[in-house]
Amino acid sequence: MLYAILSTFVLAALAPWVHRLTGRYSGWVLALLPAALFLYFASFLPAINAGEVVILVTPWMPGLDIQLSFLVDGLSLLFALLISGIGFFIVSYAGRYLEKSRDLGRFYVLILSFMGSMLGLVLADNLVAMFVFWELTSVTSYLLIGYNHEDLKARKAALQGLIVTVGGGLALLAGIVMLAIAGGSYELSEILNSGDAVREHALYLPLLILILLGAFTKSAQVPFHFWLPNAMAAPTPVSAYLHSATMVKAGIYLLARLNPSLGGTEVWFTVLALFGAVTMFVGVFLSFRSTGIKSVLAYSTVMALGMLTMLIGIGTETALLAAMAFLLAHSLYKGALFLVAGILDHEAGAKDFLQTGGLRAALPVTSAFAILAALSMAGVLPLFGFVAKELMLESVLGAPGLVPLLALLAIASAILGVGVAAIVGIRPWFGPRVETPKTPHEAPPALVAGPVVLASLGLVFGLGPGLAEGGILAAAAQAVNGGVPVDAYLALWHGLNWPLAISVLALVAGLFLYSRWERVRELLAWVDTASRYGPERGYDKMMDGIIGFSDWQTRVLQNGYLRFYIMFIIVATALMVGVTAQIFGVSVGPLAIADLRVYEMAIVAIMALSALFAVLTRSRLGAVAALGSFGFTVALIFVLFSALDVGITQILVETLTVILLVLVLFRLPGFLGLSPWWVKLRDATIALAAGGMVTLLILSTHSAREFDSIAQELIEWSVPEGYGRNVVNVILVDFRTLDTLGEIFVLALAAVGVYAMIRFRAEDRR
């Protein structure tokens, strides 16, 4: 499994060379890898459908007991098949769609890296590994959205998507750490079996909020939905891949994956059902209001993501099977429709539905399968979209709460969804011919293959829903249900019931709305004004605030004065040490002041007076003398505690320092009282805080010693290891050789500096 994921990154590194070698056929050549991966993942189907869960472990750092583990069950396998299967059509499509792009080799690098990141995300069993792949999808999608890096709009959209998703990723990181604490493991396979412990843990609510923030930002739930339509600045193959099987469904995968551990509570149901239902309606409403081909499809993806979130939140067995069915249906028809949008742009130059009409004769194959995909999107019998929509409506009507609100939003979304599908499936192909920027003609096989296969699968699975259910969907729903088989089934016909009545109502009302599309859009003109004050405006204000704060912070912190830099470092360090000591209750232990000897207290007093005199005196030479007194007193402490060699070194260094200071200060003006009293008080406070911090650290370290001192061992090693009885010398020369060598270099450099200053003075006199 690890090698399957790594193969995408290896091929990504080789992709530019393959492109130069194979030219216009590079898309087909590179697409062989996702095709092979699809077959490899398909080989797990018999075991997964038999109820097995496959965990593959690859040792990484055996000495530290660190390993890479991968989990293959119905849910992860469904996503892996979609990522690799649709990835095949995306890569082959891109080879022809972007064949004139000078950066096509770079595109291959990014799209294959993105594919590998998504595969790693859905297959990882370890939470940390999953998070690493999660962030890799954000980074690679940022580069893909900003592929046309010379376009300001593309760069802005890429940055917006990165900020929103990575911001949610930071919340997710904190959430999965809490989840590991509550579940007692970082392995998903173990956490999924500890659902009761997680739900009863004190961290359940905060970890749930953090994880939902990560999932909602990734999957564009309200109020984070605005970044997804803006991401349409990316090339069409990127948009098709992001919306059908990958990036935006990563959050849905996370919610479905963690449902056995986090689901089943009132807060889980309420938050997911409400946010999902609102996102579903907002997405389809904005989709019906839009005219840009990719914008209409993007907002309809927001609708689909909201519906999936709502179904996972409802959490009944019918809802979970409906979620998996709609996930598959949406991947098929949305992948096909986005690829059709690329064909309209590539072959006709049309980017807006208002620029299209009557293209059915010029694009017969494309139009046929675009209509087929649009029918599945509308939920029309006998497409697989109809099967999924019927099960969704049944789930909403049988929800454990909020039925009136959820049903109202679901019915309104179904009606508008039919209207959106009619825009996609009727507007470009029928009616009077509209002149397009390019003379339209049928697309080549590389562009048509994806829509043909994906739309056809929607028809095949609609006519035989048992193929999809028995093939993978039942196992996927079972995985989301905590390993318990779901008591629901897929069928093309469930008889006369309320879901069917709602579907008929949605079909009639949706077609009526489409027939009045121009008029409805005029009535909804206020949406453009209202959207200026929506969540995206909040994002813009946040970014402006960050820039303003950064500007102020730079002026304050990066002011060019070294003394301020030192002051900020000392204050920040003291605060962090103090807060940490307070949180963890650091103790310094008893202070044995009574054990101090008279001469030891005298030495301490001399040090304190020397430091105080150096601070208060206005004499340059007096300050140097005070500092020298302080240093020689420190040397005396070393001598008293039998560190004679260290004491001698201290005396030498201190003597050299005093000489250097005298030579330097002799050429400088005298000390002036330029600082007001409050600055002196501030500096004194900071100095006392820093000294107190160091004292606290030393005392707490001494009192918290958990191991015996190594002094006795050094004494024992001195003769056999260092061939010397002077322990200090052996430590300096043998045990701390590099440290001593560094000190020698410092002394040598200081000597060179003194010599240079003496020579300079002598030459100056001449």
Side-chain angles (χ1 to χ4, degrees):
M1 186 63 66
L2 175 63
Y3 298 117
I5 296 172
L6 289 179
S7 65
T8 60
F9 294 100
V10 173
L11 184 61
L14 299 175
W17 176 79
V18 174
H19 171 56
R20 287 193 296 269
L21 186 66
T22 57
R24 66 182 305 179
Y25 302 104
S26 57
W28 289 110
V29 174
L30 293 171
L32 293 176
L33 177 63
L37 290 176
F38 180 84
L39 296 176
Y40 169 70
F41 293 129
S43 67
F44 287 92
L45 284 173
I48 299 304
N49 285 324
E52 297 182 24
V53 175
V54 181
I55 298 178
L56 303 173
V57 178
T58 302
W60 187 20
M61 299 180 185
L64 299 177
D65 196 26
I66 297 177
Q67 58 193 17
L68 291 174
S69 52
F70 300 94
L71 172 65
V72 183
D73 60 4
L75 179 63
S76 60
L77 187 58
L78 172 61
F79 272 88
L81 290 171
L82 289 174
I83 293 166
S84 56
I86 296 179
F88 166 78
F89 295 108
I90 296 299
V91 175
S92 59
Y93 183 97
R96 188 61 187 273
Y97 184 83
L98 298 171
E99 64 178 338
K100 295 182 180 179
S101 172
R102 71 175 188 269
D103 296 322
L104 180 55
R106 175 166 61 89
F107 177 85
Y108 287 139
V109 173
L110 298 177
I111 200 71
L112 290 169
S113 299
F114 179 71
M115 182 188 301
S117 302
M118 276 301 306
L119 288 174
L121 191 159
V122 301
L123 292 168
D125 187 36
N126 184 274
L127 284 174
V128 176
M130 185 199 72
F131 178 77
V132 170
F133 286 116
W134 179 282
E135 292 299 273
L136 279 176
T137 61
S138 295
V139 173
T140 50
S141 66
Y142 162 74
L143 297 173
L144 285 168
I145 295 170
Y147 173 74
N148 297 317
H149 55 275
E150 296 177 354
D151 182 4
L152 176 61
K153 182 180 178 181
R155 296 201 304 271
K156 182 178 179 181
L159 182 61
Q160 185 182 77
L162 181 70
I163 294 295
V164 173
T165 57
V166 170
L170 292 176
L172 176 64
L173 177 60
I176 62 176
V177 171
M178 292 183 183
L179 178 62
I181 295 173
S185 174
Y186 275 92
E187 300 297 312
L188 278 167
S189 54
E190 297 180 18
I191 293 175
L192 297 180
N193 295 323
S194 307
D196 292 337
V198 173
R199 287 186 288 269
E200 294 172 1
H201 200 279
L203 293 175
Y204 174 74
L205 185 58
L207 74 85
L208 176 63
I209 293 173
L210 292 169
I211 289 175
L212 290 182
L213 275 174
F216 282 8
T217 53
K218 199 79 159 184
S219 288
Q221 301 296 298
V222 169
F224 307 108
H225 63 284
F226 57 87
W227 75 265
L228 185 55
N230 292 335
M232 293 305 96
T236 297
V238 175
S239 302
Y241 206 29
L242 289 179
H243 286 250
S244 61
T246 54
M247 173 76 167
V248 296
K249 294 214 174 113
I252 301 301
Y253 167 79
L254 183 65
L255 296 176
R257 171 56 72 203
L258 296 180
N259 180 66
S261 295
L262 303 181
T265 64
E266 189 66 26
V267 64
W268 173 270
F269 163 73
T270 303
V271 173
L272 265 66
L274 279 179
F275 274 87
V278 171
T279 301
M280 174 178 63
F281 176 75
V282 170
V284 73
F285 175 79
L286 295 176
S287 178
F288 190 78
R289 174 70 181 82
S290 302
T291 62
I293 296 175
K294 291 174 68 174
S295 295
V296 170
L297 295 175
Y299 279 119
S300 67
T301 297
V302 173
M303 178 272 292
L305 295 172
M307 183 184 299
L308 289 168
T309 301
M310 177 188 69
L311 291 172
I312 295 172
I314 292 173
T316 61
E317 295 183 352
T318 303
L320 297 181
L321 181 59
M324 296 301 101
F326 187 76
L327 174 70
L328 176 59
H330 177 262
S331 297
L332 296 176
Y333 72 68
K334 188 54 63 71
L337 291 175
F338 260 111
L339 296 179
V340 168
I343 292 174
L344 286 173
D345 184 15
H346 192 270
E347 306 301 332
K351 300 178 182 293
D352 195 287
F353 281 113
L354 299 180
Q355 298 176 327
T356 62
L359 295 175
R360 181 164 50 94
L363 301 167
V365 178
T366 301
S367 63
F369 289 96
I371 294 170
L372 192 63
L375 290 173
S376 184
M377 181 181 180
V380 175
L381 195 74
L383 279 301
F384 193 59
F386 170 80
V387 177
K389 186 176 73 171
E390 292 294 288
L391 208 58
M392 179 274 291
L393 293 171
E394 182 180 343
S395 303
V396 170
L397 296 176
L402 302 174
V403 174
L405 177 60
L406 297 182
L408 177 63
L409 292 174
I411 294 171
S413 299
I415 294 172
L416 288 172
V418 171
V420 171
I423 297 171
V424 176
I426 298 175
R427 176 82 186 197
W429 320 112
F430 298 95
R433 173 69 180 274
V434 176
E435 290 299 323
T436 54
K438 297 180 183 179
T439 302
H441 55 82
E442 190 56 82
L447 300 186
V448 176
V452 169
V453 175
L454 296 177
S456 298
L457 285 175
L459 177 61
V460 171
F461 290 149
L463 294 173
L467 294 174
E469 181 181 5
I472 187 62
L473 295 184
Q478 179 178 335
V480 182
N481 199 36
V484 180
V486 297
D487 185 18
Y489 64 95
L490 298 178
L492 187 60
W493 180 255
H494 286 268
L496 298 176
N497 51 26
W498 280 111
L500 180 62
I502 294 173
S503 294
V504 173
L505 171 64
L507 186 62
V508 174
L511 290 175
F512 174 77
L513 284 178
Y514 170 72
S515 67
R516 302 291 189 273
W517 185 43
E518 298 288 349
R519 177 59 179 160
V520 172
R521 285 185 55 252
E522 292 177 2
L523 294 175
L524 296 177
W526 57 269
V527 174
D528 294 333
T529 303
S531 63
R532 299 174 187 170
Y533 302 94
E536 188 170 6
R537 181 180 177 85
Y539 166 83
D540 293 334
K541 290 294 185 183
M542 181 194 73
M543 295 303 296
D544 292 340
I546 291 175
I547 294 173
F549 177 77
S550 301
D551 180 64
W552 170 83
Q553 178 182 261
T554 302
R555 290 197 307 271
V556 173
L557 298 181
Q558 305 296 326
N559 47 54
Y561 293 98
L562 180 61
R563 61 181 181 272
F564 287 143
Y565 296 165
I566 296 174
M567 181 179 68
F568 289 142
I569 292 172
I570 293 175
V571 170
T573 305
L575 285 175
M576 288 189 291
V577 171
V579 171
T580 304
Q582 182 68 28
I583 293 175
F584 292 98
V586 175
S587 174
V588 299
L591 300 178
I593 298 178
D595 296 338
L596 291 176
R597 298 176 178 86
V598 175
Y599 60 84
E600 292 175 342
M601 290 188 286
I603 292 174
V604 172
I606 293 173
M607 294 173 63
L609 291 174
S610 299
L612 187 62
F613 182 81
V615 171
L616 297 178
T617 185
R618 294 197 175 195
S619 169
R620 297 171 299 179
L621 295 179
V624 173
L627 290 176
S629 172
F630 187 93
F632 290 131
T633 309
V634 172
L636 183 58
I637 292 177
F638 290 145
V639 173
L640 289 176
F641 284 91
S642 303
L644 185 61
D645 295 40
V646 180
I648 293 174
T649 303
Q650 174 69 20
I651 291 173
L652 291 174
V653 171
E654 198 60 44
T655 302
L656 182 61
T657 302
V658 170
I659 293 173
L660 288 173
L661 286 174
V662 169
L663 291 174
V664 171
L665 294 178
F666 185 75
R667 301 179 61 85
L668 296 178
F671 294 159
L672 300 176
L674 298 178
S675 299
W677 67 268
W678 64 269
V679 173
K680 296 179 180 178
L681 179 61
R682 179 201 66 191
D683 294 343
T685 303
I686 293 174
L688 290 173
M693 173 196 69
V694 175
T695 303
L696 173 66
L697 288 177
I698 294 174
L699 293 177
S700 62
T701 302
H702 180 75
S703 62
R705 174 176 287 175
E706 297 183 4
F707 304 97
D708 296 333
S709 172
I710 64 171
Q712 187 60 39
E713 294 185 14
L714 292 176
I715 294 173
E716 294 175 357
W717 294 344
S718 179
V719 175
E721 299 290 339
Y723 302 101
R725 297 187 181 277
N726 188 320
V727 179
V728 175
N729 281 348
V730 172
I731 292 174
L732 292 176
V733 177
D734 292 279
F735 299 158
R736 293 174 52 188
T737 306
L738 293 178
D739 184 35
T740 305
L741 180 64
E743 293 178 358
I744 293 172
F745 274 120
V746 170
L747 291 173
L749 289 173
V752 171
V754 172
Y755 176 74
M757 293 183 67
I758 294 174
R759 288 293 303 272
F760 176 78
R761 290 295 304 276
E763 294 175 358
D764 185 53
R765 285 195 298 270
R766 288 198 298 269

